[in-house]
Each structure stands twice: as structure tokens, then as C-alpha cells.
Amino acid sequence: MTAVASASLAAVLLAAGCTGGVSGTPGAAGLRDPYFPRLGNGGYDVRHYALTLAYDPATGRLDGTAEITARATQGLSAFNLDLAGLTVHSATVDGDPASVRRAGHELTLRPRADIDDGATFRTVVRYSGTPRAITDPDGSEEGWLRTADGAVALGEPAGSTAWFPGNHHPSDKATYDITVTVPDGYRALANGLPSATATKDGRTTATWRTTEPMAGYLATLAIGQYDVTTTRTPSGLPVITATDRTVTRASAALLARLPELLAWQTEIFGPYPFSSAGAIVERAGDSGYALETQTRPVFPYDQFTVEILVHELAHQWYGNSVSPKSWRDMWLNEGFAQYAEWLYAEDFEGTPALQSHEAAFAHPANWAFAPAEPPSAADISEPPVYYRGAMVLHKIRQAVGDDAFFALLKGWAAEHRHGNASTEDFTAYVEEETGEDLTELWDTWLYGEGKPEAP
């Protein structure tokens, strides 16, 4: 890890949105998330990221410029950005040089003049280096993963800090433009829709635009020698898929089911929340897991099954559009996506969700802790979050009946569309919509430490 060369250069003009008379204070370094307290930053709300990147798969070098448009939520004398590794060469705030100080994964920027509370300001950070994988508390790797023919960025929960500076807590969602230059013969894909492509001097530059809010951990960048296909669903939704050339033929049949599965989920969950859909299928071993990256989930081929595809597509509603307020709320992502698998088995394979519920109830690993209260950061992707989370939903279904339950699935996705929500928001929503007091259900299935006597 290379230290930043701090700079404090003179400037005669005040930055736009700033005044010399403000008595600002530094924004917080971290948002005190229960499991990742230093993740994210206080004092501002990011509105848009414009990332301009160049990557050389042969050397692993990434050159980047991040233009971050944000609104101050307090008077700011300084503010922080999250960035793991990489060398920062310069930073400006509204065109004026800003000093940069680094402590681990935290960059502290001090602008020429304080920023007014409520002012919109633009920060530009230029950086480079060899981005690295980040080891999660549970031992898995995320961040920037070198693949057999390129690289793929996977960000849950903090891996996006490995390739661009920003406010990387899921509570601060923003829109994105990601422009990537790679050598000819390589393709670069990100979230959203392509807006421009140009080839010059043996290099290809592509820009991807995400117009709906996105949490940083859901941003992806996949670089490789892909076969890329663009189609549309019967409703006109663009579907963009990319496959590693070694698995293109083997992936084709399941990828062809994307429109069918999206139509089925739209019937259950409500309108699809984004302007495009798709998938990226890597060769086996390029990553250790699939991830629901927004609009374009990523799968290693050995995990590209219909169940996992259904799971990651369901996340587009639950986790991506409705994102967690904190990482303690992870079960709202995974419980819903796991229950989508049970609904698929019910509708397509003749296996009632009750049977899936009973099988999950019988498995000892699902009772290690309460899904709404994982013991530590290492536990937020453990079986209780998925399977007990899904059991919570099935108990709600049993308590309120199918009509009310499926109305809740649609209503919850609509109520917090493109926003954030907590466990407390969910339990209050269910009781308000159904008129039921479900205290006993929450105490037993969502927060209870012990296993009930019967499923």
C-alpha cells in the first residue's frame, strides 16, 4: 500500500458552493455501521459518480479518475472517502486543489474553503495502481479479482473500495457513469446501459450509465474476452449478457430463460425496478460465489444454476432496489432471495414452499443465531441469514394468508423502491398493512435464539 503524497496548493478563487465565512467541521470517518463502523462517511450525500478508468490486463494496472458530485449535509471543513490501496495523485474540490491525508482505507480531503451545509460540490480524485482483492471477515475474497482473462469487481460488503474512492456504505446510493478503456480484444461491462463505445489506437473505450440509485457494493466492472449478446424481453426491457468464451455454449440454454424468469418474478414482486437486466457468466473458479450486482449479476460457471439465477434476479428487487440501511439488515436481502428460490420450486417443480420451509427447519446450521442479529461481521452471509430469513417470510405467509402475503411482497418493493430500509421498517410495514400484531412471530422467528418445538 502506497501512501498519498499530500498537497496543499494555493488558490485565489473560492470553490463553487463554498464561502470563506463558513465555520465547518470535519465529516465523520465512518457511519458506525454495527459490523463495519468505518465504512462510509458522514457529512455529505453522494448524488453521482463519474468514473473514468483504464485497465491493462497484462500488468494489472488501473488508472482512474473519480468525479464525485455530492451534497453537504453539514458545514464541512474536511470530509472522507473510502479507498483501499491504490495511489492518489491529486484531488480537487470544485476545481481548487484540496489537501489529501491517508490513514489506512480512509482519505481525508480538506478543501480550500469550507463547504456550506446544503451546497452541492464536485470532487475529482486521480489515482492509479494495482487493485487487490479484499479478504472479508468470513474469509471470502471480494474487491478486484484477477480472472483467467481479465478481472471482475465484486463489492459485497466493502469490495468497491478496492477500485474507486467514495462513500461505500449501502445507505448512500447514487447514479453512475463508468467509462472504461481496455486493449482491443477485450470487452468491459458494467451496470446499466451502454451509452458510447469508441476504438482508437488499439484500445476500446466503453461508457456504461446507471440512472437509478445504486449502492456502491452493487457496482461491478467485468473485463475479459467475452461473448456479449443484447436482446429485449417481450415488454421491451434490454437484456445484456456476457459469457466467458469457454462457457458460452454451455450457458446458452439457461441464459435464454432470463425473459421468462423476469416475467414470472415481475408477476410476484411487481414492476422490474431498473432500465436493463442481464448476467455475466465467468469460467469456474474466477470467483468463489455469485453476486447480485445491479442489473447484471455475476456468476462463476460452476454456480450458474436456475436456483442461483432466480436468487440473484430476486435481489434486483430485494437488496438492490430496496437496499439495507445497515449490514445488520442483511436478512432482508437474503431471506427474500432465498424465498424466491422456494417460490420457484413451488411454481415450476411442484415442491410446496411449506416443504422447503420444513427442510430448512430441520437443518441445525440454520439455528446458529437469530437472522436479524448476526453475532459479527463474519456471520452476515451465514445460513441463518438466508434460510431462517426465508422461514420468517413463510411464517408471515401462514399468519396472514396468501392474498395478503403476496400483496406484501409487491408493496414492500414499491414502498422503498430505490431506497433503503431496516428490519424495524419491515416489521412495522407488515403489521400496518395487515392489521396483525405479529410480536410473537418476530420474537420467535426473527429474533429468537432457540429453535421452536415445531416448524
Side-chain angles (χ1 to χ4, degrees):
M1 187 179 297
T2 306
V4 175
S6 299
S8 181
L9 305 178
V12 296
L13 296 177
L14 293 176
C18 305
T19 67
V22 174
S23 179
T25 56
L31 293 179
R32 298 185 180 181
D33 184 274
Y35 303 116
F36 301 91
R38 297 298 298 273
L39 190 63
N41 302 286
Y44 64 95
D45 172 31
V46 177
R47 300 302 179 86
H48 184 72
Y49 291 94
L51 306 178
T52 302
L53 309 169
Y55 184 66
D56 184 351
T59 64
R61 179 182 173 87
L62 179 73
D63 291 279
T65 299
E67 181 178 317
I68 305 166
T69 303
R71 184 182 65 83
T73 57
Q74 66 176 66
L76 285 171
S77 61
F79 60 92
N80 279 33
L81 298 171
D82 304 316
L83 183 66
L86 303 175
T87 300
V88 174
H89 303 291
S90 66
T92 63
V93 176
D94 286 328
D96 290 330
S99 68
V100 183
R101 180 171 53 83
R102 182 165 215 156
H105 293 180
E106 293 286 339
L107 302 179
T108 301
L109 278 67
R110 186 170 295 276
R112 171 65 177 171
D114 287 359
I115 303 171
D116 284 319
D117 185 4
T120 296
F121 62 101
R122 183 174 62 94
T123 302
V124 177
V125 179
R126 291 179 173 83
Y127 60 100
S128 67
T130 303
R132 304 292 186 184
I134 294 173
T135 301
D136 287 342
D138 65 3
S140 62
E141 286 196 334
E142 54 162 334
W144 191 268
L145 306 179
R146 296 288 294 271
T147 64
D149 63 343
V152 62
L154 300 177
E156 188 179 78
S160 49
T161 64
W163 59 285
F164 68 95
N167 197 357
H168 289 279
H169 192 269
S171 61
D172 192 0
K173 302 169 80 168
T175 58
Y176 284 72
D177 283 299
I178 302 177
T179 299
V180 191
T181 299
V182 293
D184 282 355
Y186 289 85
R187 303 289 295 269
L189 294 96
N191 315 83
L193 286 165
S195 63
T197 303
T199 299
K200 182 179 179 181
D201 298 331
R203 297 174 71 79
T204 299
T205 300
T207 298
W208 293 80
R209 177 163 293 166
T210 299
T211 57
E212 299 92 1
M214 179 167 69
Y217 80 92
L218 297 169
T220 192
L221 179 57
I223 297 167
Q225 297 174 337
Y226 297 111
D227 291 319
V228 180
T229 302
T230 301
T231 59
R232 289 184 180 270
T233 66
S235 66
L237 179 73
V239 178
I240 302 169
T241 61
T243 54
D244 184 290
R245 290 174 181 173
T246 64
V247 300
T248 295
R249 182 175 296 179
S251 304
L254 184 50
L255 284 174
R257 294 193 63 189
L258 266 169
E260 169 201 4
L261 296 173
L262 286 167
W264 168 71
Q265 291 190 335
T266 296
E267 287 184 9
I268 300 171
F269 306 144
Y272 182 75
F274 302 112
S275 56
S276 71
I280 298 169
V281 186
E282 300 280 1
R283 68 185 72 187
D286 277 353
S287 69
Y289 50 88
L291 190 66
E292 63 269 20
T293 44
Q294 191 158 305
T295 69
R296 203 140 296 117
V298 176
F299 305 84
Y301 177 70
D302 56 340
Q303 296 186 35
F304 189 51
T305 65
V306 67
E307 292 81 11
I308 296 177
L309 179 58
V310 164
H311 184 107
E312 307 306 344
L313 291 179
H315 273 310
Q316 305 308 309
W317 284 264
Y318 309 110
N320 297 10
S321 179
V322 185
S323 301
K325 280 188 178 176
S326 82
W327 285 111
R328 178 175 284 154
D329 304 308
M330 181 72 152
W331 83 272
L332 286 171
N333 293 18
E334 301 302 347
F336 273 83
Q338 186 62 48
Y339 200 75
E341 292 189 47
W342 294 1
L343 291 176
Y344 177 85
E346 186 168 73
D347 289 354
F348 288 85
E349 298 173 349
T351 302
L354 175 61
Q355 186 172 326
S356 299
H357 167 71
E358 290 175 340
F361 182 87
H363 202 296
N366 297 331
W367 298 97
F369 56 83
E373 295 179 335
S376 71
D379 298 299
I380 64 172
S381 292
E382 289 300 301
V385 173
Y386 289 69
Y387 294 96
R388 257 189 88 176
M391 281 190 270
V392 170
L393 294 179
H394 194 73
K395 297 309 292 184
I396 296 170
R397 181 178 177 181
Q398 290 180 322
V400 305
D402 275 12
D403 289 347
F405 175 74
F406 285 102
L408 287 171
L409 292 185
K410 287 183 177 179
W412 176 247
E415 179 83 5
H416 295 281
R417 183 180 174 93
H418 300 318
N420 297 81
S422 67
T423 299
E424 292 75 17
D425 293 328
F426 177 72
T427 56
Y429 175 80
V430 171
E431 294 195 350
E432 181 178 348
E433 292 297 309
T434 64
E436 300 280 351
D437 180 355
L438 299 177
T439 302
E440 184 176 354
L441 190 158
W442 311 136
D443 288 348
T444 301
W445 295 90
L446 190 54
Y447 293 103
E449 292 297 332
K451 182 178 180 180
E453 292 184 2

